[in-house]
Amino acid sequence: MSQDPGRFAVGFDIGGTNMRAGLISGSGEIIRQVSAPTPATAGELDSGIVELVRALGEDHPIDAVGMAVAGFLDPACETVRFAPHLPWRDAPVRAHLEGLLGLPVRLEHDANSAAWGEYRFGGAQGADNWVLLAIGTGIGAALIVDGEIYRGAHGTAPEFGHLRVVPDGRPCPCGKSGCLERYCSGTALVDSALEFSTRGGFGDSVLLEAIRRDPTGLKGDMITRAARDRDPLGVAVMEDFSLWLGECLSMVADVLDPELIVIGGGVSRDADIYLETAVAHFAGRIVGAGYRPLARVGTAQLGADAGMIGVADLARQAVAAP
Amino acid sequence: MSQDPGRFAVGFDIGGTNMRAGLISGSGEIIRQVSAPTPATAGELDSGIVELVRALGEDHPIDAVGMAVAGFLDPACETVRFAPHLPWRDAPVRAHLEGLLGLPVRLEHDANSAAWGEYRFGGAQGADNWVLLAIGTGIGAALIVDGEIYRGAHGTAPEFGHLRVVPDGRPCPCGKSGCLERYCSGTALVDSALEFSTRGGFGDSVLLEAIRRDPTGLKGDMITRAARDRDPLGVAVMEDFSLWLGECLSMVADVLDPELIVIGGGVSRDADIYLETAVAHFAGRIVGAGYRPLARVGTAQLGADAGMIGVADLARQAVAAP
């Protein structure tokens, strides 16, 4: 597992809007980073990737390149089957980029990459059986079992965000309704605030006034800020989110029984205002509560860099492996 | 993995009412079996187990004894933490029975034992990544990953029966409400029939008449029989069960992404009347339907003997291992 920290790998985090790449040391430090808008066509994406790698490699030798991708990969991580915001469809991306860059390339799902970063250098060091819940627009998840990424038979595990938790519940862009991430995500904060705002009982809520003025301008950080200011509507929305997160934690613990669950993603920045309530709810909801140890719950430490750092480390490992 | 089929192990299936023990060959055949009521005290349970092993060992040499237990075990399978219907509480059962019997003893959770039986000799042969759903009174589950039993960090994985799928839903003996097994189990068939019987629209249903005469006498097999006879209430209840089973399959596939899901337990006997509908519903409910291969769905083949056969094989393996 240990590599020469004097050697470097590049980690890419390719999102629908921007792509970021970092030159990462063997101890997980970001030596340098660059970014660019994500091109819309496969050809421009190729050139963009080559250019960023060239920029990072000017003064440093690069051993390998890792690519964290938001989408479905095959279990061998050779092919991108489907990535909603990228121009790859059933594309053998790994071999293609390896040919293009003349360097070993490692492809990995973005949540798995972030989990690997947290496992090697962040909030999950030392925990060999644990789950990452990356809560932002939706819920991304990754599972580490005995120190390895669990991906399932077809490479799609683990998915928690679209478990149906409310029959005929809030409609989801996935086509179903009542999915967990419609109640437990950054997006859900906004949905809940809009829904709650039509009920009474929130007295002189500044947040309620803001919603009445401009419901379409409501953002998640307005709600967390309101909750911090003890605004009645803000507090009610965060309370609801806390209970759903506790429910989500209990589902993860029931099915996977990890030693640790790490909350990452954009929502993790405000963990101080909801995590205690969520964990208390979780403790009372698992099956056999009292007869089984409870998973620890923590927060991610590498923020938005986790995927870049993690996939660079995976790329280095792939090169170092026999 | 292969052992001398001429040698024998004993497999126990210890339930709350009866305990059964079988003399099992290396190829999974039941050579002989015995049973007795499960004693209520730990001392009588000890004597009962010794007596059954003695009876089975009269004419055959026994290499090892496996015990399938319905309850929480520690991850090392040394201790029974809690088994609701047995007199063991935080008891070091494995070492205790080994001393008592003078034979190597292997302890295992009952669903894991049944899964191992189906994996080695039944409906899951050749599938190294798969899930057993044992659907009867509730939902028992087991997960095989890369040919090994997945048990989680504390030995309690995987649990699906008590995931909450309906907020404020049907009350569950576990203390929560809306648990999956309240809608998708043999018990749920009865609950659904009673609930549906209070609505109108079932015309001249023989099942409805039977419920009106004696609601407390309603049994699951009356419902499956009614469905086979195209009784309107019976059909409606089985249709509801099929949809919930499809939902359950999609939850398993989303979280664990196995290559195969095997339906076992008492309810699996009637798979011919619900499985096709359930699988069709499942196919439309997984995330990314169309962009990922679907898990196969099959039925268990060893019936109520799966646990006994499986745990005997695990016991033989433990002896054979270096």
Side-chain angles (χ1 to χ4, degrees):
Chain A
M1 196 81 99
S2 82
Q3 289 107 17
D4 176 359
R7 308 200 58 97
F8 302 96
V10 166
F12 265 86
D13 192 343
I14 305 195
T17 311
N18 288 297
M19 55 184 189
R20 299 165 59 217
L23 186 75
I24 315 290
S25 78
S27 51
E29 283 165 300
I30 303 173
I31 305 300
R32 208 185 139 193
Q33 65 175 297
V34 288
S35 68
T38 306
T41 71
E44 290 166 339
L45 185 51
D46 280 355
S47 329
I49 288 169
V50 169
E51 198 164 316
L52 291 191
V53 172
R54 191 172 300 151
L56 289 173
E58 274 170 0
D59 306 318
H60 300 280
I62 294 171
D63 284 348
V65 176
M67 313 279 301
V69 177
F72 288 119
L73 309 184
D74 73 308
C77 297
E78 290 285 335
T79 298
V80 176
R81 284 197 176 126
F82 176 66
H85 306 295
L86 299 176
W88 291 324
R89 294 288 179 278
D90 284 320
V93 170
R94 201 200 61 75
H96 172 72
L97 290 178
E98 202 159 275
L100 211 62
L101 294 167
L103 284 168
V105 170
R106 174 77 159 79
L107 215 61
E108 187 52 85
H109 186 269
D110 60 349
N112 290 345
S113 301
W116 195 258
E118 295 290 342
Y119 177 49
R120 291 274 289 143
F121 309 110
Q125 291 176 68
D128 291 336
N129 293 279
W130 70 281
V131 171
L132 171 71
L133 294 175
I135 307 183
T137 310
I139 301 176
L143 167 63
I144 302 290
V145 176
D146 293 337
E148 290 186 27
I149 296 169
Y150 176 91
R151 48 187 87 250
H154 314 104
T156 62
E159 170 66 66
F160 280 94
H162 297 279
L163 299 184
R164 187 183 72 177
V165 292
V166 180
D168 302 316
R170 294 179 184 166
C172 188
C174 80
K176 303 197 295 178
S177 66
C179 294
L180 180 56
E181 67 180 41
R182 297 272 63 77
Y183 301 88
C184 186
S185 65
T187 321
L189 291 180
V190 173
D191 292 347
S192 295
L194 293 174
E195 187 182 307
F196 290 14
S197 71
T198 63
R199 307 176 190 168
F202 295 111
D204 55 346
S205 162
V206 174
L207 183 61
L208 187 59
E209 278 167 44
I211 291 173
R212 284 186 180 146
R213 270 198 311 274
D214 177 15
T216 58
L218 184 63
K219 298 273 179 296
D221 60 354
M222 291 164 64
I223 297 161
T224 50
R225 213 176 321 123
R228 287 186 190 283
D229 295 342
R230 309 301 304 159
D231 176 279
L233 177 56
V235 167
V237 170
M238 288 312 300
E239 172 79 10
D240 186 70
F241 173 83
S242 304
L243 297 182
W244 276 111
L245 179 58
E247 193 66 35
C248 176
L249 291 169
S250 79
M251 295 177 96
V252 172
D254 273 356
V255 178
L256 300 175
D257 182 25
E259 61 182 288
L260 169 70
I261 304 173
V262 171
I263 312 292
V267 163
S268 66
R269 282 191 298 269
D270 294 293
D272 62 303
I273 57 170
Y274 62 74
L275 198 57
E276 202 177 314
T277 309
V279 170
H281 189 63
F282 161 47
R285 305 278 313 164
I286 56 164
V287 173
Y291 287 106
R292 50 182 276 203
L294 204 63
R296 289 181 292 126
V297 181
T299 49
Q301 289 176 9
L302 305 183
D305 299 328
M308 213 165 70
I309 293 171
V311 82
D313 190 67
L314 287 167
R316 292 165 57 90
Q317 286 207 358
V319 175
Chain B
M1 196 82 99
S2 82
Q3 288 108 20
D4 176 1
R7 307 199 59 97
F8 301 97
V10 166
F12 265 86
D13 192 343
I14 305 195
T17 311
N18 288 297
M19 56 183 187
R20 301 164 60 217
L23 187 75
I24 315 290
S25 78
S27 52
E29 282 166 300
I30 303 174
I31 307 299
R32 207 184 143 194
Q33 64 173 298
V34 289
S35 68
T38 307
T41 70
E44 290 167 340
L45 183 53
D46 280 355
S47 329
I49 288 168
V50 169
E51 200 164 314
L52 292 191
V53 172
R54 192 173 299 150
L56 289 173
E58 274 171 359
D59 305 319
H60 299 278
I62 294 171
D63 285 347
V65 176
M67 314 280 302
V69 177
F72 288 119
L73 309 184
D74 73 306
C77 296
E78 290 285 335
T79 298
V80 176
R81 285 198 175 128
F82 176 66
H85 307 293
L86 299 175
W88 290 324
R89 294 288 180 280
D90 284 318
V93 171
R94 201 200 61 76
H96 172 72
L97 290 178
E98 202 159 273
L100 212 61
L101 295 166
L103 283 167
V105 170
R106 174 75 159 81
L107 216 60
E108 189 51 86
H109 187 270
D110 60 348
N112 289 345
S113 301
W116 194 258
E118 295 289 342
Y119 177 51
R120 291 275 289 143
F121 310 110
Q125 292 176 68
D128 291 337
N129 293 281
W130 70 281
V131 171
L132 173 70
L133 293 176
I135 307 183
T137 310
I139 301 176
L143 167 63
I144 303 291
V145 176
D146 294 337
E148 291 186 26
I149 296 169
Y150 176 92
R151 49 187 85 251
H154 314 104
T156 62
E159 169 67 66
F160 280 94
H162 297 279
L163 299 185
R164 188 181 73 175
V165 292
V166 182
D168 303 317
R170 294 178 183 167
C172 187
C174 80
K176 303 196 294 179
S177 66
C179 294
L180 180 57
E181 66 179 42
R182 297 273 62 78
Y183 301 88
C184 185
S185 66
T187 321
L189 291 179
V190 173
D191 292 346
S192 295
L194 292 174
E195 188 182 305
F196 289 13
S197 71
T198 62
R199 307 176 191 168
F202 295 110
D204 53 347
S205 162
V206 175
L207 183 62
L208 187 58
E209 279 169 41
I211 291 173
R212 283 185 180 146
R213 270 196 312 274
D214 178 16
T216 58
L218 183 65
K219 298 274 181 296
D221 59 355
M222 293 164 62
I223 297 161
T224 50
R225 213 177 319 123
R228 287 186 190 284
D229 296 341
R230 310 300 304 160
D231 177 279
L233 177 57
V235 167
V237 171
M238 288 313 300
E239 171 79 11
D240 185 71
F241 173 83
S242 303
L243 297 182
W244 276 110
L245 179 57
E247 191 68 35
C248 176
L249 291 169
S250 78
M251 295 177 95
V252 171
D254 273 356
V255 178
L256 300 175
D257 182 26
E259 61 183 285
L260 170 70
I261 304 173
V262 171
I263 312 292
V267 164
S268 66
R269 282 191 298 271
D270 294 292
D272 61 303
I273 56 170
Y274 61 74
L275 198 57
E276 203 178 313
T277 308
V279 170
H281 189 62
F282 160 47
R285 304 280 310 164
I286 55 164
V287 172
Y291 288 105
R292 47 182 277 202
L294 204 64
R296 290 180 291 127
V297 181
T299 50
Q301 290 176 8
L302 304 182
D305 298 330
M308 213 165 70
I309 293 171
V311 82
D313 190 68
L314 287 167
R316 292 166 57 91
Q317 285 207 357
V319 175

